[in-house]
Amino acid sequence: MGRSGTRKVPANLSLPSSFLFPPPQNRNVPMTLFRRGGRTRLSSSSGGRIRFPLSPSWETRTSWVPSPRPSPGHAQRLTRDRHFFELRPRSWRASAFRPRRWFQLNGGGGEAMQEYLLPKMGSKDRFSTLEDTVFPYGSDNDSGSVELQLNNLERTKKDPNVPNLIDSDIPDTLETPQQVVTENITRLESEGAPGGIEIKKLIDSIQHYLNGDRKMLMQQEPLHSLFSPVRQEVFIAITDLSYQDVGLLPGPEDRSDLFNILIKSIITLPSMKTLNILQTVMPIGQCNTESLYRQTFQAFCEMLQCLVMRDPHLEIFDQILEHMEPWLQSTKDHERERAIAGVSQMLGSLSRHLNLQPPLHFQKLGNLVALMALLCGDPVEEVAQEAAEGTYYLLHITLRLKCVTNDKRNHQNLKEAMKKCKEFLEICSIKQFYSSPFKIAQIFEVFLNPKELLQFIVTTLDGLKNLKHPCIQQSAGELLVTLVKSAETRFEKVSDIIEAICVRLPVISQPSARQQAMSIVSLFISKPKYTDVVLNYLLLHPIPFDRHLAELWRTLNADLPSTSWILWRLLRRLQKCHIVDQDKMEYIAVAATDALYEVFVGNKLHVAMHRLFPQLLMALLVQVHHSIGLTMSEITIPNGVYTKQEVISTSTPLSFAIQATKTLLLRTFCWYEYDTMEKKKGWNLLEEENFHLEGVSLLANALLEKHDILAHKVLYLLIPLLNRGNEKHRLTSAAFFVELFQSPLAKRLPRRYTITRLEEWLHHENQQFKVLSLKGIESLLCHHQRKEEAIKGMIPVILSSLSETNERIVLLSISILRNLLDTMDFTTLKTTMQTLFSLFSDVRPNIHLLAVNLFGNSIKMVKHKDKKGIEGQILESLIPLLLHLQDEDDAVVKESCKVLTICCQFLKWKLPQEVYSKDPWHCNPSGIGVVCKYFEQKCRGKCNIMMQTMKYTQNHQVHLRRAAVLFTGLLAKYMDHNELRMKGTEWIEEVLRPLLHDSEPSVRIIASQALCRVQKAGVEPEPRPAVCGLRKLFNCIHN
């Protein structure tokens, strides 16, 4: 609203002086308005009315202006002294004040009102006609003065001749002033003067006025300067109306804006120094800016005091604090100074005249205590002093407040707290509050309930964001730590506190402030009562954790007894996910793994890491096993963890588990184990489903080799874990367990933990358990004596394992049988040899090689008295061993030759030298003829060597297939033809004919020759010796 200079009133307008200014005698009746420092404000109390600030309309009016006084000592004055002053009379200047025109209920004046009032007034009540009555700074939109309206209200109560100005049908929306007033007057003339005044409607009209014209006035007042008393007028009007129980502010939602404007209009003014400069640059009249500021701020503070003193339920006090809180946290020094001065005076007034009545609606005690405590550490001395005094008052208010709201069940606790507080107040002064802000937390903590404790912490956390004043950050950190330590058992919504810290971490940039905020998380998580609550909140965040949350995990720290507890509870989160089989991995398992990695990197809990190394290592290895082949899309993610804008990480659960395992080894100084896994590709083995257990075994062996003490700890840990958890958990544990049987400590383990468990696994449906069982048995036999007798009972099961398709199982079974040969009786030995003989035709070279080797070793174990019983088995093995002399694997050839020699020695045969020839048989037909004739003669009537040979004609190896066909043709030549004709040659021919189409040419040629020999042998009689030479010659020519 712009100022229009001066405005002339029509010459025919004459107003009674009693309507413009209250009678002087009424203004001199005192009424006390309480101020700080014992000062009072005098106002009219006659007839229950309050004296309102006067609006002079002539330059001859006088007012009160500040008079100079000596400046008090610096140590004895508080900030408020800069806002108050002593008054002395001086002449008003019209240019310094706004007009105080008639306040119309509908927001305006007009001729209709004048016509209605003037005829009813006597000449003694009228002013002389003024041709040029001047109203300085008048405005066409100004509705008049609130003071005049209330003065009119008082006059109306006393004088029944004055008509009632209250329209019973005042509209909610503004209408044209002339129209509304005219309608009201017409209605009043017809109805006559009412018997009383409807106060409620008058209050509604005043509220409408303040939310209308005055609100626009306040909005149009410049925030950067102070050149008019508009602010002061509004503050005084609200104050005086409050003393008449006219509740204007604060109130419903529609009036909150006005109150915000009022506060902002005074708080956001520039500093006093800047205002003085502005007055010098832009002088307006002779208004003293400093004096006007002091008057305005005094009016503002009195308004706040008046508002809170008339509300015994503290609802208004709570609402005022809600509006003042942002300014108490302002980064500008002069704004904080004004806000704390107002709040401190408000608290002082409330403390001296406290009259609480239930129900109480004060909901911000925790916020207020935290703000006052922070401001006690403010770098601006005046702010700190004001805050200290306000805190002192607040403590008295809190005592009364808690007495009113005290629960009888907590009576004793409150009594003790009161006693402690009383003792403190007797020995402490305001200065001690100012010098030690953290004492505030110690004193107030006993009176704050869990909700208020949460408010205190959240508000104090906001103090850590104050980058301009590091001392405030330091005070905030001290307050947080002090409160959490003092009230560690009384917090309820700890997750809300942790959330508040996590939300504010991104905006707290100073390292020391961040460390203080994160130390609160460490304090809470170290308390067993809150550990799980904190972990549950921290784990339900997107992974990998952002840099702020990762830093929080890395900085977790606690006293020595608590470090193991924290790490153990985090570990349990991971272990619980491995108990049962689930279709999808739980999100908490991946989050806990990533959290463990961050904790390991931070290395703050290194003592606990060493203590819990066995549990940590096994849990991570099990997690690796569960994570193989999974992606994040295959994880069960709880609702709310990822927002719509966030993208699920491309990292895999397996990568989190592997990096956590690596970090654990490095942080616990297991460098040899780490290097071993790197050099032998152990990490790659762990990541493969089929080789994961081999990777576990490699790590176990490395740990046992270098850190046997840690290995022994793991061994004892695994004993109760082997039958727990899901299958992958048991498999990983068993793989590590059986490798530790190499330790000398394993022989001390009871049988039920070793032999019995291994036997159970040997019958398990899962072949991986069978492999682990056989490995464990082999380890016991190799590294511990006197275990053979305990294992002998498992030989039948081991022998049955030789028929498994799993090569690993067969090889381990053969290895175990070799170690048990000394303990076998003849029957078991014979059975073993028969089973091993069945493996001679196995296509897997390793199995064949070990079977042949063990067969030879078994022959050596046969006692002299049992030779006859084993002779048939040895004869059955001769031809297979002989044929494998042509095997493509040199190791098999060598082993077959060795065992063939052992067999012949057992039979007391002397093999011809041609047997040991390294030339292929098809290249030396004469030599193989000698060998064939020798074996035919030795085995005639003892075993069917033709049948043994025919089995190899279908072998997958070309070398063996060709040797078997060649040997078949030669056998037909040297066998008894009569016997051959008797048995028939058709079955031999059926086997040989398909070989005529073999993919190998040499096999086809030799098969054709063998078929011809078989056919001739079946037709011709056995040749005489003379003919034998000719046939031999013929065959040579034919070949």
Side-chain angles (χ1 to χ4, degrees):
M1 180 183 301
R3 294 183 176 85
S4 57
T6 60
R7 186 167 65 104
K8 293 185 178 182
V9 179
N12 60 352
L13 175 61
S14 179
L15 298 176
S17 62
S18 59
F19 278 91
L20 287 176
F21 307 105
Q25 64 272 16
N26 292 338
R27 296 198 303 268
N28 296 330
V29 180
M31 178 178 177
T32 302
L33 175 63
F34 296 100
R35 299 183 187 171
R36 298 177 55 184
R39 296 193 295 270
T40 58
R41 176 179 180 269
L42 299 179
S43 61
S44 173
S45 60
S46 176
R49 58 184 285 269
I50 305 297
R51 181 183 66 82
F52 294 94
L54 306 182
S55 293
S57 299
W58 292 275
E59 297 183 8
T60 58
R61 290 296 308 271
T62 61
S63 176
W64 295 97
V65 296
S67 61
R69 65 171 181 170
S71 176
H74 176 72
Q76 298 173 346
R77 67 178 177 82
L78 293 175
T79 306
R80 70 170 187 276
D81 296 328
R82 303 188 310 140
H83 302 293
F84 298 103
F85 50 90
E86 296 177 357
L87 304 177
R88 62 176 177 84
R90 75 169 180 88
S91 298
W92 288 95
R93 290 193 59 83
S95 59
F97 296 93
R98 300 188 58 81
R100 299 300 182 106
R101 290 161 34 196
W102 189 282
F103 174 72
Q104 302 294 344
L105 298 179
N106 57 11
E111 296 179 358
M113 179 62 72
Q114 298 163 9
E115 292 174 359
Y116 175 73
L117 291 175
L118 295 179
K120 295 178 173 49
M121 298 179 185
S123 60
K124 63 180 179 180
D125 296 325
R126 300 172 56 125
F127 283 109
S128 301
T129 303
L130 301 177
E131 295 292 334
D132 296 313
T133 302
V134 179
F135 289 82
Y137 295 97
S139 174
D140 295 337
N141 294 327
D142 195 351
S143 300
S145 171
V146 178
E147 176 191 358
L148 294 181
Q149 175 62 23
L150 267 295
N151 287 337
N152 182 59
L153 174 62
E154 295 292 339
R155 177 177 175 81
T156 305
K157 290 180 181 179
K158 295 181 178 181
D159 190 356
N161 297 323
V162 178
N164 185 6
L165 301 181
I166 304 300
D167 190 343
S168 60
D169 297 319
I170 294 177
D172 293 333
T173 57
L174 290 175
E175 303 181 30
T176 305
Q178 180 71 30
Q179 175 185 356
V180 176
V181 175
T182 303
E183 293 175 357
N184 293 344
I185 294 173
T186 303
R187 189 180 298 107
L188 288 172
E189 287 179 342
S190 62
E191 295 177 359
I197 297 180
E198 301 180 31
I199 299 297
K200 182 178 183 301
K201 293 185 178 180
L202 175 59
I203 293 173
D204 293 340
S205 298
I206 297 173
Q207 292 173 347
H208 185 74
Y209 164 75
L210 285 174
N211 283 317
D213 293 352
R214 283 301 178 188
K215 182 175 180 179
M216 289 186 293
L217 280 172
M218 295 299 299
Q219 288 175 334
Q220 294 178 8
E221 280 294 306
L223 295 178
H224 63 277
S225 61
L226 183 65
F227 294 137
S228 72
V230 171
R231 297 174 176 87
Q232 179 184 355
E233 290 178 6
V234 176
F235 295 152
I236 294 175
I238 294 173
T239 301
D240 291 339
L241 289 171
S242 296
Y243 270 102
Q244 293 203 14
D245 293 330
V246 179
L248 296 177
L249 292 173
E253 195 76 24
D254 58 345
R255 278 175 277 153
S256 180
D257 289 345
L258 176 58
F259 195 58
N260 269 327
I261 294 172
L262 292 175
I263 294 177
K264 185 177 180 181
S265 68
I266 186 67
I267 299 294
T268 58
L269 284 174
S271 64
M272 196 65 247
K273 180 179 179 180
T274 305
L275 288 175
N276 290 332
I277 295 174
L278 288 175
Q279 185 182 21
T280 304
V281 175
M282 298 182 297
I284 299 181
Q286 298 182 7
C287 177
N288 188 311
T289 302
E290 184 173 356
S291 299
L292 182 59
Y293 165 73
R294 293 181 185 278
Q295 295 176 32
T296 305
F297 190 80
Q298 177 187 0
F300 171 73
C301 293
E302 290 180 353
M303 178 193 72
L304 296 181
Q305 297 174 55
C306 183
L307 288 173
V308 299
M309 287 174 60
R310 70 179 184 83
D311 180 18
H313 307 292
L314 298 183
E315 182 179 5
I316 294 178
F317 181 55
D318 190 76
Q319 295 181 32
I320 291 176
L321 289 178
E322 183 177 356
H323 292 287
M324 293 291 288
E325 184 174 342
W327 305 112
L328 292 171
Q329 297 174 303
S330 174
T331 57
K332 297 180 179 180
D333 294 343
H334 63 276
E335 291 181 354
R336 286 199 317 280
E337 185 178 352
R338 289 168 185 158
I340 189 58
V343 171
S344 181
Q345 293 180 44
M346 184 171 58
L347 290 171
S349 179
L350 189 61
S351 174
R352 289 189 294 269
H353 307 95
L354 194 61
N355 181 27
L356 300 179
Q357 296 179 13
L360 297 177
H361 302 287
F362 183 34
Q363 306 295 328
K364 293 184 175 296
L365 179 59
N367 295 79
L368 183 56
V369 173
L371 288 172
M372 301 301 286
L374 287 173
L375 292 172
C376 282
D378 198 278
V380 179
E381 184 177 0
E382 290 81 0
V383 174
Q385 291 174 348
E386 284 285 357
E389 185 174 352
T391 305
Y392 199 82
Y393 296 142
L394 179 60
L395 183 54
H396 289 273
I397 297 172
T398 303
L399 292 176
R400 294 285 302 278
L401 183 68
K402 294 302 177 180
C403 288
V404 174
T405 60
N406 178 44
D407 189 349
K408 292 183 178 180
R409 293 174 296 180
N410 298 326
H411 179 72
Q412 187 62 31
N413 294 336
L414 180 62
K415 184 177 179 181
E416 294 176 358
M418 292 279 188
K419 183 178 179 181
K420 179 181 177 182
C421 182
K422 182 180 179 181
E423 294 174 354
F424 179 81
L425 291 176
E426 290 175 352
I427 62 175
C428 291
S429 63
I430 294 177
K431 185 176 181 181
Q432 287 176 298
F433 273 110
Y434 162 57
S435 60
S436 302
F438 67 92
K439 288 185 178 180
I440 297 174
Q442 293 177 328
I443 296 302
F444 279 92
E445 173 267 321
V446 295
F447 298 109
L448 301 181
N449 59 37
K451 180 180 178 182
E452 292 163 348
L453 289 173
L454 174 61
Q455 293 175 353
F456 185 100
I457 288 182
V458 172
T459 305
T460 310
L461 283 171
D462 290 333
L464 293 175
K465 299 185 296 184
N466 195 325
L467 300 179
K468 185 177 180 182
H469 301 299
C471 58
I472 294 182
Q473 292 182 334
Q474 182 179 357
S475 298
E478 292 179 358
L479 287 170
L480 285 173
V481 174
T482 302
L483 185 73
V484 172
K485 288 183 177 180
S486 301
E488 60 182 15
T489 61
R490 299 198 297 112
F491 292 98
E492 290 182 356
K493 296 183 178 181
V494 175
S495 59
D496 292 346
I497 298 175
I498 305 302
E499 180 182 7
I501 294 174
C502 293
V503 169
R504 287 161 176 78
L505 275 181
V507 296
I508 302 176
S509 58
Q510 188 172 2
S512 60
R514 292 177 63 85
Q515 187 60 40
Q516 288 173 330
M518 291 185 289
S519 67
I520 301 304
V521 180
S522 297
L523 286 174
F524 277 115
I525 203 172
S526 63
K527 306 302 177 185
K529 180 180 179 181
Y530 307 122
T531 303
D532 290 340
V533 177
V534 177
L535 289 177
N536 289 339
Y537 177 81
L538 293 180
L539 291 176
L540 291 179
H541 282 78
I543 50 176
F545 299 121
D546 60 41
R547 66 182 184 90
H548 305 290
L549 201 57
E551 183 182 1
L552 183 58
W553 282 111
R554 295 180 185 185
T555 56
L556 286 181
N557 201 357
D559 296 334
L560 187 59
S562 300
T563 55
S564 298
W565 170 253
I566 296 172
L567 202 56
W568 169 249
R569 296 310 300 168
L570 180 57
L571 177 62
R572 285 296 297 159
R573 291 292 186 283
L574 180 59
Q575 291 175 336
K576 287 180 180 179
C577 300
H578 302 154
I579 295 176
V580 295
D581 290 315
Q582 296 178 342
D583 296 336
K584 282 190 173 183
M585 180 181 291
E586 293 185 19
Y587 180 84
I588 203 71
V590 187
T593 303
D594 194 23
L596 285 172
Y597 165 72
E598 299 296 348
V599 171
F600 297 159
V601 171
N603 204 28
K604 297 291 185 180
L605 308 180
H606 60 277
V607 176
M609 290 164 56
H610 283 86
R611 287 182 176 179
L612 298 175
F613 175 81
Q615 294 90 333
L616 291 168
L617 179 62
M618 293 312 305
L620 291 174
L621 290 176
V622 172
Q623 178 65 16
V624 170
H625 198 174
H626 281 84
S627 304
I628 295 174
L630 294 182
T631 62
M632 289 301 296
S633 60
E634 299 174 279
I635 305 300
T636 303
I637 301 177
N639 294 331
V641 174
Y642 288 90
T643 62
K644 294 182 179 180
Q645 293 77 18
E646 291 177 326
V647 179
I648 296 179
S649 173
T650 56
S651 302
T652 63
L654 182 59
S655 64
F656 292 122
I658 290 293
Q659 73 176 2
T661 307
K662 291 180 178 180
T663 310
L664 175 64
L665 293 178
L666 293 175
R667 287 304 190 191
T668 52
F669 310 116
C670 295
W671 299 319
Y672 174 79
E673 292 81 351
Y674 182 88
D675 291 339
T676 301
M677 295 293 287
E678 290 284 341
K679 292 176 181 178
K680 296 185 178 182
K681 308 298 181 182
W683 304 117
N684 295 337
L685 294 176
L686 285 176
E687 295 174 357
E688 297 292 334
E689 181 69 33
N690 296 330
F691 301 102
H692 171 76
L693 298 183
E694 293 183 22
V696 173
S697 299
L698 179 62
L699 180 57
N701 278 308
L703 186 66
L704 183 61
E705 181 179 351
K706 194 67 176 179
H707 294 93
D708 55 338
I709 296 179
L710 289 178
H712 294 160
K713 291 181 179 180
V714 177
L715 177 63
Y716 284 120
L717 166 73
L718 290 174
I719 290 174
L721 297 180
L722 293 173
N723 288 331
R724 297 181 186 176
N726 55 28
E727 190 171 90
K728 290 184 177 180
H729 179 278
R730 296 195 302 272
L731 276 172
T732 303
S733 301
F736 210 102
F737 181 69
V738 297
E739 290 299 327
L740 298 181
F741 282 174
Q742 303 174 42
S743 170
L745 196 64
K747 65 182 179 182
R748 303 179 186 178
L749 297 177
R751 176 188 174 93
R752 64 179 181 275
Y753 297 141
T754 54
I755 305 301
T756 303
R757 187 157 287 162
L758 293 175
E759 189 172 3
E760 292 174 358
W761 292 344
L762 200 57
H763 293 86
H764 204 282
E765 296 178 355
N766 191 325
Q767 290 191 346
Q768 289 181 311
F769 276 108
K770 290 184 178 181
V771 172
L772 294 175
S773 174
L774 293 170
K775 286 185 67 175
I777 295 172
E778 181 185 24
S779 183
L780 288 176
L781 292 173
C782 292
H783 299 91
H784 304 287
Q785 297 179 356
R786 296 186 298 275
K787 292 290 184 179
E788 293 83 356
E789 292 297 327
I791 299 174
K792 280 177 60 176
M794 291 187 280
I795 290 179
V797 183
I798 297 172
L799 288 174
S800 65
S801 299
L802 294 176
S803 59
E804 292 281 352
T805 57
N806 190 314
E807 182 177 359
R808 183 69 170 158
I809 293 177
V810 177
L811 294 176
L812 288 171
S813 299
I814 293 174
S815 179
I816 293 171
L817 291 173
R818 177 182 291 105
N819 294 319
L820 293 174
L821 283 178
D822 293 340
T823 64
M824 292 182 184
D825 56 19
F826 175 71
T827 303
T828 305
L829 185 60
K830 184 177 180 180
T831 304
T832 301
M833 293 180 67
Q834 291 174 349
T835 309
L836 290 172
F837 175 72
S838 65
L839 298 176
F840 280 16
S841 58
D842 197 290
V843 298
R844 293 166 291 187
N846 293 333
I847 293 178
H848 177 85
L849 182 62
L850 291 180
V852 170
N853 178 269
L854 183 58
F855 188 85
N857 293 337
S858 301
I859 295 175
K860 294 178 181 180
M861 301 304 298
V862 177
K863 297 180 181 179
H864 181 73
K865 63 179 181 178
D866 300 323
K867 285 186 176 182
K868 288 293 182 182
I870 205 76
E871 184 176 337
Q873 182 63 58
I874 293 176
L875 290 172
E876 290 289 333
S877 66
L878 292 177
I879 296 302
L881 290 171
L882 180 64
L883 291 175
H884 275 287
L885 294 178
Q886 296 296 302
D887 198 283
E888 60 186 11
D889 191 335
D890 293 339
V892 173
V893 172
K894 183 177 180 180
E895 193 64 33
S896 298
C897 182
K898 177 182 174 181
V899 175
L900 181 61
T901 302
I902 293 174
C903 292
C904 292
Q905 290 176 353
F906 179 85
L907 297 172
K908 297 182 180 180
W909 293 358
K910 185 178 181 181
L911 291 173
Q913 291 298 320
E914 287 80 0
V915 173
Y916 302 105
S917 175
K918 296 182 179 180
D919 296 332
W921 285 359
H922 64 280
C923 297
N924 186 17
S926 58
I928 190 59
V930 173
V931 174
C932 182
K933 183 178 181 180
Y934 176 82
F935 276 95
E936 195 279 331
Q937 292 176 353
K938 288 288 186 180
C939 296
R940 183 176 295 180
K942 297 179 181 179
C943 61
N944 191 349
I945 60 175
M946 177 63 79
M947 181 68 70
Q948 297 176 14
T949 306
M950 295 298 293
K951 292 179 180 179
Y952 279 87
T953 57
Q954 306 299 322
N955 196 280
H956 71 286
Q957 285 191 37
V958 174
H959 299 77
L960 294 179
R961 198 163 62 246
R962 184 170 54 205
V965 172
L966 178 59
F967 203 81
T968 299
L970 293 176
L971 279 177
K973 175 182 177 181
Y974 296 113
M975 284 183 64
D976 185 355
H977 291 185
N978 295 328
E979 181 183 355
L980 189 60
R981 284 196 300 270
M982 186 183 301
K983 293 181 178 180
T985 59
E986 291 80 5
W987 63 278
I988 301 176
E989 294 176 6
E990 289 178 359
V991 173
L992 292 176
R993 282 195 180 94
L995 295 175
L996 296 175
H997 307 285
D998 194 273
S999 58
E1000 174 59 34
S1002 61
V1003 174
R1004 293 199 298 268
I1005 294 173
I1006 295 175
S1008 175
Q1009 294 174 354
L1011 183 61
C1012 181
R1013 287 173 180 166
V1014 170
Q1015 291 173 347
K1016 289 183 179 180
V1019 176
E1020 297 179 357
E1022 186 175 357
R1024 295 178 182 177
V1027 179
C1028 184
L1030 294 174
R1031 181 173 294 178
K1032 181 177 179 180
L1033 180 61
F1034 176 79
N1035 288 336
C1036 291
I1037 296 173
H1038 179 73
N1039 292 335

